[in-house]
mmCIF file of all heavy atoms in Angstrom:
data_model
loop_
_atom_site.group_PDB
_atom_site.id
_atom_site.type_symbol
_atom_site.label_atom_id
_atom_site.label_comp_id
_atom_site.label_asym_id
_atom_site.label_seq_id
_atom_site.Cartn_x
_atom_site.Cartn_y
_atom_site.Cartn_z
ATOM 1 N N VAL A 37 -11.020 9.710 13.059
ATOM 2 C CA VAL A 37 -11.043 11.105 13.514
ATOM 3 C C VAL A 37 -11.304 11.127 15.017
ATOM 4 O O VAL A 37 -12.380 10.740 15.475
ATOM 5 C CB VAL A 37 -12.132 11.918 12.773
ATOM 6 C CG1 VAL A 37 -12.154 13.364 13.274
ATOM 7 C CG2 VAL A 37 -11.885 11.877 11.269
ATOM 8 N N GLY A 38 -10.279 11.561 15.784
ATOM 9 C CA GLY A 38 -10.436 11.686 17.232
ATOM 10 C C GLY A 38 -9.596 10.687 17.995
ATOM 11 O O GLY A 38 -9.691 9.478 17.758
ATOM 12 N N LEU A 39 -8.738 11.197 18.879
ATOM 13 C CA LEU A 39 -7.940 10.316 19.741
ATOM 14 C C LEU A 39 -8.315 10.569 21.203
ATOM 15 O O LEU A 39 -7.493 10.924 22.028
ATOM 16 C CB LEU A 39 -6.440 10.519 19.516
ATOM 17 C CG LEU A 39 -5.557 9.431 20.122
ATOM 18 C CD1 LEU A 39 -5.621 8.141 19.315
ATOM 19 C CD2 LEU A 39 -4.104 9.895 20.229
ATOM 20 N N GLY A 40 -9.615 10.425 21.481
ATOM 21 C CA GLY A 40 -10.048 10.320 22.871
ATOM 22 C C GLY A 40 -9.904 8.855 23.257
ATOM 23 O O GLY A 40 -9.160 8.096 22.599
ATOM 24 N N LEU A 41 -10.614 8.439 24.265
ATOM 25 C CA LEU A 41 -10.537 7.038 24.679
ATOM 26 C C LEU A 41 -11.006 6.109 23.550
ATOM 27 O O LEU A 41 -10.373 5.088 23.263
ATOM 28 C CB LEU A 41 -11.407 6.843 25.936
ATOM 29 C CG LEU A 41 -11.387 5.467 26.566
ATOM 30 C CD1 LEU A 41 -9.990 5.053 26.971
ATOM 31 C CD2 LEU A 41 -12.315 5.445 27.784
ATOM 32 N N ALA A 42 -12.105 6.489 22.883
ATOM 33 C CA ALA A 42 -12.668 5.633 21.829
ATOM 34 C C ALA A 42 -11.679 5.446 20.679
ATOM 35 O O ALA A 42 -11.374 4.315 20.279
ATOM 36 C CB ALA A 42 -13.985 6.230 21.328
ATOM 37 N N GLY A 43 -11.151 6.550 20.161
ATOM 38 C CA GLY A 43 -10.224 6.470 19.029
ATOM 39 C C GLY A 43 -8.914 5.793 19.412
ATOM 40 O O GLY A 43 -8.307 5.096 18.589
ATOM 41 N N PHE A 60 -6.512 11.357 12.943
ATOM 42 C CA PHE A 60 -6.484 12.816 13.054
ATOM 43 C C PHE A 60 -6.950 13.183 14.453
ATOM 44 O O PHE A 60 -7.992 12.691 14.898
ATOM 45 C CB PHE A 60 -7.453 13.472 12.057
ATOM 46 C CG PHE A 60 -6.899 13.612 10.686
ATOM 47 C CD1 PHE A 60 -6.901 12.536 9.808
ATOM 48 C CD2 PHE A 60 -6.357 14.820 10.275
ATOM 49 C CE1 PHE A 60 -6.371 12.660 8.533
ATOM 50 C CE2 PHE A 60 -5.828 14.957 8.994
ATOM 51 C CZ PHE A 60 -5.838 13.879 8.127
ATOM 52 N N ASP A 61 -6.215 14.023 15.145
ATOM 53 C CA ASP A 61 -6.709 14.491 16.440
ATOM 54 C C ASP A 61 -6.237 15.898 16.720
ATOM 55 O O ASP A 61 -5.053 16.201 16.610
ATOM 56 C CB ASP A 61 -6.236 13.578 17.581
ATOM 57 C CG ASP A 61 -6.860 13.996 18.921
ATOM 58 O OD1 ASP A 61 -8.088 13.902 19.053
ATOM 59 O OD2 ASP A 61 -6.110 14.459 19.815
ATOM 60 N N LYS A 62 -7.185 16.742 17.102
ATOM 61 C CA LYS A 62 -6.841 18.085 17.575
ATOM 62 C C LYS A 62 -6.977 18.005 19.088
ATOM 63 O O LYS A 62 -8.095 17.925 19.619
ATOM 64 C CB LYS A 62 -7.825 19.094 16.981
ATOM 65 C CG LYS A 62 -7.702 20.488 17.532
ATOM 66 C CD LYS A 62 -6.994 21.369 16.515
ATOM 67 C CE LYS A 62 -6.939 22.821 16.964
ATOM 68 N NZ LYS A 62 -5.890 23.147 17.886
ATOM 69 N N ASN A 64 -7.587 18.461 22.786
ATOM 70 C CA ASN A 64 -8.411 19.430 23.502
ATOM 71 C C ASN A 64 -8.382 19.058 24.984
ATOM 72 O O ASN A 64 -8.942 18.025 25.376
ATOM 73 C CB ASN A 64 -9.844 19.363 22.937
ATOM 74 C CG ASN A 64 -10.820 20.157 23.764
ATOM 75 O OD1 ASN A 64 -10.432 20.895 24.675
ATOM 76 N ND2 ASN A 64 -12.103 20.001 23.468
ATOM 77 N N SER A 67 -11.564 17.908 26.528
ATOM 78 C CA SER A 67 -12.384 16.824 25.961
ATOM 79 C C SER A 67 -12.777 15.872 27.081
ATOM 80 O O SER A 67 -12.136 15.796 28.125
ATOM 81 C CB SER A 67 -11.618 16.075 24.870
ATOM 82 O OG SER A 67 -10.666 15.221 25.457
ATOM 83 N N SER A 68 -13.856 15.137 26.829
ATOM 84 C CA SER A 68 -14.413 14.249 27.849
ATOM 85 C C SER A 68 -13.335 13.323 28.433
ATOM 86 O O SER A 68 -13.205 13.171 29.648
ATOM 87 C CB SER A 68 -15.531 13.430 27.192
ATOM 88 O OG SER A 68 -16.303 12.777 28.127
ATOM 89 N N SER A 69 -12.539 12.725 27.557
ATOM 90 C CA SER A 69 -11.531 11.769 28.033
ATOM 91 C C SER A 69 -10.443 12.434 28.870
ATOM 92 O O SER A 69 -9.857 11.799 29.749
ATOM 93 C CB SER A 69 -10.860 11.084 26.839
ATOM 94 O OG SER A 69 -11.795 10.418 26.049
ATOM 95 N N VAL A 71 -10.919 14.976 30.848
ATOM 96 C CA VAL A 71 -11.500 15.505 32.083
ATOM 97 C C VAL A 71 -12.020 14.381 32.995
ATOM 98 O O VAL A 71 -12.014 14.505 34.219
ATOM 99 C CB VAL A 71 -12.662 16.472 31.722
ATOM 100 C CG1 VAL A 71 -13.454 16.879 32.944
ATOM 101 C CG2 VAL A 71 -12.104 17.707 31.013
ATOM 102 N N ALA A 72 -12.417 13.257 32.386
ATOM 103 C CA ALA A 72 -13.141 12.193 33.115
ATOM 104 C C ALA A 72 -12.402 11.702 34.349
ATOM 105 O O ALA A 72 -11.173 11.699 34.401
ATOM 106 C CB ALA A 72 -13.378 11.031 32.172
ATOM 107 N N ALA A 73 -13.196 11.234 35.304
ATOM 108 C CA ALA A 73 -12.628 10.681 36.534
ATOM 109 C C ALA A 73 -12.086 9.283 36.306
ATOM 110 O O ALA A 73 -11.197 8.832 37.016
ATOM 111 C CB ALA A 73 -13.708 10.642 37.602
ATOM 112 N N GLY A 74 -12.659 8.579 35.330
ATOM 113 C CA GLY A 74 -12.158 7.235 35.011
ATOM 114 C C GLY A 74 -12.664 6.126 35.917
ATOM 115 O O GLY A 74 -12.080 5.043 35.975
ATOM 116 N N LEU A 75 -13.778 6.376 36.591
ATOM 117 C CA LEU A 75 -14.308 5.366 37.520
ATOM 118 C C LEU A 75 -14.911 4.179 36.774
ATOM 119 O O LEU A 75 -15.613 4.348 35.785
ATOM 120 C CB LEU A 75 -15.398 6.038 38.387
ATOM 121 C CG LEU A 75 -16.087 5.168 39.435
ATOM 122 C CD1 LEU A 75 -15.112 4.675 40.484
ATOM 123 C CD2 LEU A 75 -17.218 5.958 40.103
ATOM 124 N N GLU A 194 -3.972 17.606 13.981
ATOM 125 C CA GLU A 194 -4.673 18.823 13.565
ATOM 126 C C GLU A 194 -6.154 18.511 13.385
ATOM 127 O O GLU A 194 -6.553 17.346 13.317
ATOM 128 C CB GLU A 194 -4.064 19.391 12.276
ATOM 129 C CG GLU A 194 -4.175 18.437 11.115
ATOM 130 C CD GLU A 194 -3.529 18.989 9.839
ATOM 131 O OE1 GLU A 194 -2.399 19.492 9.913
ATOM 132 O OE2 GLU A 194 -4.162 18.887 8.778
ATOM 133 N N GLU A 195 -6.939 19.549 13.297
ATOM 134 C CA GLU A 195 -8.377 19.382 13.127
ATOM 135 C C GLU A 195 -8.689 18.755 11.768
ATOM 136 O O GLU A 195 -8.110 19.140 10.750
ATOM 137 C CB GLU A 195 -9.040 20.760 13.240
ATOM 138 C CG GLU A 195 -10.525 20.705 13.077
ATOM 139 C CD GLU A 195 -11.238 21.547 14.108
ATOM 140 O OE1 GLU A 195 -10.576 22.287 14.859
ATOM 141 O OE2 GLU A 195 -12.472 21.451 14.141
ATOM 142 N N PHE A 196 -9.571 17.784 11.752
ATOM 143 C CA PHE A 196 -10.041 17.205 10.494
ATOM 144 C C PHE A 196 -11.150 18.112 9.980
ATOM 145 O O PHE A 196 -12.154 18.328 10.652
ATOM 146 C CB PHE A 196 -10.562 15.786 10.743
ATOM 147 C CG PHE A 196 -10.987 15.070 9.502
ATOM 148 C CD1 PHE A 196 -10.077 14.319 8.767
ATOM 149 C CD2 PHE A 196 -12.296 15.141 9.063
ATOM 150 C CE1 PHE A 196 -10.468 13.659 7.614
ATOM 151 C CE2 PHE A 196 -12.699 14.484 7.904
ATOM 152 C CZ PHE A 196 -11.785 13.742 7.184
ATOM 153 N N PHE A 198 -14.124 18.734 7.794
ATOM 154 C CA PHE A 198 -15.126 17.950 7.048
ATOM 155 C C PHE A 198 -15.303 18.459 5.623
ATOM 156 O O PHE A 198 -15.574 17.690 4.709
ATOM 157 C CB PHE A 198 -16.496 18.002 7.735
ATOM 158 C CG PHE A 198 -16.465 17.562 9.162
ATOM 159 C CD1 PHE A 198 -16.797 18.441 10.178
ATOM 160 C CD2 PHE A 198 -16.104 16.264 9.482
ATOM 161 C CE1 PHE A 198 -16.757 18.028 11.501
ATOM 162 C CE2 PHE A 198 -16.065 15.846 10.800
ATOM 163 C CZ PHE A 198 -16.392 16.737 11.813
ATOM 164 N N CYS A 221 -14.576 9.090 15.671
ATOM 165 C CA CYS A 221 -14.502 8.839 17.120
ATOM 166 C C CYS A 221 -14.346 10.206 17.781
ATOM 167 O O CYS A 221 -13.463 10.408 18.612
ATOM 168 C CB CYS A 221 -13.287 7.990 17.471
ATOM 169 S SG CYS A 221 -13.249 6.377 16.693
ATOM 170 N N ASP A 222 -15.170 11.152 17.357
ATOM 171 C CA ASP A 222 -14.930 12.546 17.724
ATOM 172 C C ASP A 222 -15.759 13.025 18.911
ATOM 173 O O ASP A 222 -15.938 14.225 19.105
ATOM 174 C CB ASP A 222 -15.132 13.465 16.499
ATOM 175 C CG ASP A 222 -16.339 13.103 15.657
ATOM 176 O OD1 ASP A 222 -17.000 12.104 15.985
ATOM 177 O OD2 ASP A 222 -16.623 13.804 14.677
ATOM 178 N N GLY A 223 -16.254 12.072 19.714
ATOM 179 C CA GLY A 223 -16.957 12.450 20.940
ATOM 180 C C GLY A 223 -18.149 13.345 20.630
ATOM 181 O O GLY A 223 -18.752 13.236 19.558
ATOM 182 N N GLN A 225 -18.292 16.259 19.753
ATOM 183 C CA GLN A 225 -18.113 17.192 18.634
ATOM 184 C C GLN A 225 -18.670 16.658 17.327
ATOM 185 O O GLN A 225 -18.757 17.378 16.335
ATOM 186 C CB GLN A 225 -16.635 17.536 18.485
ATOM 187 C CG GLN A 225 -16.162 18.403 19.642
ATOM 188 C CD GLN A 225 -14.720 18.790 19.457
ATOM 189 O OE1 GLN A 225 -14.396 19.544 18.557
ATOM 190 N NE2 GLN A 225 -13.855 18.249 20.288
ATOM 191 N N GLY A 242 -20.174 17.986 32.303
ATOM 192 C CA GLY A 242 -19.854 17.533 33.650
ATOM 193 C C GLY A 242 -18.691 18.324 34.204
ATOM 194 O O GLY A 242 -17.750 18.643 33.484
ATOM 195 N N GLU A 243 -18.786 18.656 35.489
ATOM 196 C CA GLU A 243 -17.673 19.366 36.139
ATOM 197 C C GLU A 243 -17.106 18.494 37.251
ATOM 198 O O GLU A 243 -17.808 17.674 37.848
ATOM 199 C CB GLU A 243 -18.160 20.713 36.668
ATOM 200 C CG GLU A 243 -18.698 21.563 35.538
ATOM 201 C CD GLU A 243 -18.896 23.022 35.897
ATOM 202 O OE1 GLU A 243 -18.074 23.580 36.637
ATOM 203 O OE2 GLU A 243 -19.886 23.592 35.404
ATOM 204 N N SER A 276 -19.486 14.018 39.838
ATOM 205 C CA SER A 276 -19.426 15.138 38.922
ATOM 206 C C SER A 276 -20.844 15.647 38.694
ATOM 207 O O SER A 276 -21.813 14.961 39.024
ATOM 208 C CB SER A 276 -18.766 14.713 37.604
ATOM 209 O OG SER A 276 -19.268 13.467 37.177
ATOM 210 N N GLY A 315 -16.062 19.084 31.115
ATOM 211 C CA GLY A 315 -16.012 18.408 29.813
ATOM 212 C C GLY A 315 -17.421 18.017 29.394
ATOM 213 O O GLY A 315 -18.352 18.095 30.194
ATOM 214 N N ILE A 316 -17.553 17.606 28.141
ATOM 215 C CA ILE A 316 -18.881 17.241 27.629
ATOM 216 C C ILE A 316 -18.909 15.744 27.297
ATOM 217 O O ILE A 316 -18.143 15.284 26.441
ATOM 218 C CB ILE A 316 -19.252 18.032 26.349
ATOM 219 C CG1 ILE A 316 -18.901 19.527 26.477
ATOM 220 C CG2 ILE A 316 -20.721 17.824 25.992
ATOM 221 C CD1 ILE A 316 -19.680 20.314 27.460
ATOM 222 N N ARG A 317 -19.786 15.014 27.971
ATOM 223 C CA ARG A 317 -19.884 13.571 27.730
ATOM 224 C C ARG A 317 -20.699 13.302 26.455
ATOM 225 O O ARG A 317 -21.750 13.903 26.263
ATOM 226 C CB ARG A 317 -20.618 12.873 28.884
ATOM 227 C CG ARG A 317 -20.057 13.139 30.272
ATOM 228 C CD ARG A 317 -21.004 12.560 31.314
ATOM 229 N NE ARG A 317 -20.594 12.829 32.682
ATOM 230 C CZ ARG A 317 -20.972 13.888 33.384
ATOM 231 N NH1 ARG A 317 -21.749 14.819 32.860
ATOM 232 N NH2 ARG A 317 -20.578 14.036 34.630
ATOM 233 N N PRO A 318 -20.228 12.346 25.636
ATOM 234 C CA PRO A 318 -21.006 12.007 24.423
ATOM 235 C C PRO A 318 -22.126 11.021 24.769
ATOM 236 O O PRO A 318 -22.042 9.833 24.488
ATOM 237 C CB PRO A 318 -19.947 11.380 23.507
ATOM 238 C CG PRO A 318 -18.907 10.825 24.429
ATOM 239 C CD PRO A 318 -18.959 11.606 25.711
ATOM 240 N N ASN A 340 -18.930 5.792 18.777
ATOM 241 C CA ASN A 340 -19.176 6.944 19.640
ATOM 242 C C ASN A 340 -20.252 6.595 20.673
ATOM 243 O O ASN A 340 -20.630 5.436 20.816
ATOM 244 C CB ASN A 340 -19.616 8.125 18.748
ATOM 245 C CG ASN A 340 -19.285 9.471 19.348
ATOM 246 O OD1 ASN A 340 -19.393 9.681 20.555
ATOM 247 N ND2 ASN A 340 -18.884 10.418 18.507
ATOM 248 N N MET A 342 -20.171 6.803 24.008
ATOM 249 C CA MET A 342 -19.728 6.026 25.173
ATOM 250 C C MET A 342 -20.198 6.644 26.489
ATOM 251 O O MET A 342 -19.971 6.093 27.564
ATOM 252 C CB MET A 342 -18.196 5.874 25.150
ATOM 253 C CG MET A 342 -17.699 5.144 23.923
ATOM 254 S SD MET A 342 -18.407 3.467 23.796
ATOM 255 C CE MET A 342 -18.230 3.152 22.034
ATOM 256 N N GLY A 343 -20.850 7.778 26.402
ATOM 257 C CA GLY A 343 -21.582 8.356 27.523
ATOM 258 C C GLY A 343 -20.789 8.504 28.805
ATOM 259 O O GLY A 343 -19.659 9.015 28.804
ATOM 260 N N THR A 344 -21.347 7.996 29.892
ATOM 261 C CA THR A 344 -20.766 8.215 31.219
ATOM 262 C C THR A 344 -19.823 7.080 31.621
ATOM 263 O O THR A 344 -19.225 7.130 32.680
ATOM 264 C CB THR A 344 -21.882 8.282 32.280
ATOM 265 O OG1 THR A 344 -22.600 7.044 32.239
ATOM 266 C CG2 THR A 344 -22.849 9.413 32.007
ATOM 267 N N LYS A 345 -19.717 6.049 30.767
ATOM 268 C CA LYS A 345 -18.979 4.851 31.198
ATOM 269 C C LYS A 345 -17.974 4.368 30.164
ATOM 270 O O LYS A 345 -17.817 3.161 29.945
ATOM 271 C CB LYS A 345 -19.981 3.732 31.492
ATOM 272 C CG LYS A 345 -20.871 3.991 32.693
ATOM 273 C CD LYS A 345 -21.579 2.724 33.122
ATOM 274 C CE LYS A 345 -22.203 2.884 34.481
ATOM 275 N NZ LYS A 345 -23.269 3.864 34.528
ATOM 276 N N GLY A 346 -17.302 5.321 29.534
ATOM 277 C CA GLY A 346 -16.375 4.960 28.463
ATOM 278 C C GLY A 346 -15.336 3.924 28.875
ATOM 279 O O GLY A 346 -15.020 3.035 28.087
ATOM 280 N N VAL A 347 -14.813 4.028 30.087
ATOM 281 C CA VAL A 347 -13.687 3.155 30.464
ATOM 282 C C VAL A 347 -14.086 1.685 30.381
ATOM 283 O O VAL A 347 -13.342 0.844 29.885
ATOM 284 C CB VAL A 347 -13.178 3.490 31.885
ATOM 285 C CG1 VAL A 347 -12.047 2.560 32.287
ATOM 286 C CG2 VAL A 347 -12.704 4.932 31.950
HETATM 287 C C1 FAD B 18 -16.865 15.244 34.149
HETATM 288 C C2 FAD B 18 -16.799 13.885 33.487
HETATM 289 C C3 FAD B 18 -16.645 12.765 34.281
HETATM 290 C C4 FAD B 18 -16.590 11.506 33.690
HETATM 291 N N1 FAD B 18 -16.356 10.428 34.492
HETATM 292 C C5 FAD B 18 -16.252 9.192 33.939
HETATM 293 C C6 FAD B 18 -15.945 8.077 34.750
HETATM 294 O O1 FAD B 18 -15.760 8.200 35.960
HETATM 295 N N2 FAD B 18 -15.863 6.848 34.158
HETATM 296 C C7 FAD B 18 -16.057 6.687 32.802
HETATM 297 O O2 FAD B 18 -15.948 5.547 32.318
HETATM 298 N N3 FAD B 18 -16.344 7.739 32.011
HETATM 299 C C8 FAD B 18 -16.450 8.976 32.553
HETATM 300 N N4 FAD B 18 -16.744 10.046 31.749
HETATM 301 C C9 FAD B 18 -17.097 9.787 30.343
HETATM 302 C C10 FAD B 18 -15.881 9.545 29.454
HETATM 303 O O3 FAD B 18 -15.087 10.703 29.473
HETATM 304 C C11 FAD B 18 -16.344 9.226 28.033
HETATM 305 O O4 FAD B 18 -17.185 8.103 28.003
HETATM 306 C C12 FAD B 18 -15.179 8.944 27.078
HETATM 307 O O5 FAD B 18 -13.992 9.512 27.510
HETATM 308 C C13 FAD B 18 -15.523 9.451 25.691
HETATM 309 O O6 FAD B 18 -14.417 9.293 24.843
HETATM 310 P P1 FAD B 18 -14.477 9.632 23.302
HETATM 311 O O7 FAD B 18 -13.161 9.248 22.741
HETATM 312 O O8 FAD B 18 -15.708 9.040 22.699
HETATM 313 O O9 FAD B 18 -14.712 11.222 23.214
HETATM 314 P P2 FAD B 18 -13.708 12.479 23.581
HETATM 315 O O10 FAD B 18 -13.030 12.253 24.846
HETATM 316 O O11 FAD B 18 -14.580 13.664 23.437
HETATM 317 O O12 FAD B 18 -12.636 12.432 22.446
HETATM 318 C C14 FAD B 18 -12.861 12.930 21.142
HETATM 319 C C15 FAD B 18 -11.530 13.379 20.558
HETATM 320 O O13 FAD B 18 -11.740 13.760 19.207
HETATM 321 C C16 FAD B 18 -11.116 15.005 18.962
HETATM 322 N N5 FAD B 18 -11.828 15.636 17.841
HETATM 323 C C17 FAD B 18 -13.143 15.935 17.756
HETATM 324 N N6 FAD B 18 -13.431 16.460 16.547
HETATM 325 C C18 FAD B 18 -12.259 16.476 15.842
HETATM 326 C C19 FAD B 18 -11.890 16.895 14.532
HETATM 327 N N7 FAD B 18 -12.789 17.398 13.654
HETATM 328 N N8 FAD B 18 -10.589 16.771 14.153
HETATM 329 C C20 FAD B 18 -9.660 16.286 14.987
HETATM 330 N N9 FAD B 18 -9.963 15.858 16.251
HETATM 331 C C21 FAD B 18 -11.235 15.955 16.676
HETATM 332 C C22 FAD B 18 -11.265 15.746 20.290
HETATM 333 O O14 FAD B 18 -10.381 16.821 20.415
HETATM 334 C C23 FAD B 18 -10.932 14.617 21.270
HETATM 335 O O15 FAD B 18 -9.543 14.463 21.413
HETATM 336 C C24 FAD B 18 -16.764 11.350 32.285
HETATM 337 C C25 FAD B 18 -16.912 12.477 31.497
HETATM 338 C C26 FAD B 18 -16.920 13.743 32.081
HETATM 339 C C27 FAD B 18 -17.064 14.954 31.199
#
Side-chain angles (χ1 to χ4, degrees):
V37 179
L39 194 74
L41 184 58
F60 278 81
D61 185 65
K62 172 104 175 82
N64 170 8
S67 76
S68 193
S69 301
V71 171
L75 180 63
E194 62 182 47
E195 180 136 8
F196 184 89
F198 305 117
C221 300
D222 42 357
Q225 290 183 68
E243 300 194 38
S276 44
I316 316 293
R317 306 171 183 91
N340 207 322
M342 299 301 157
T344 59
K345 293 194 167 65
V347 178

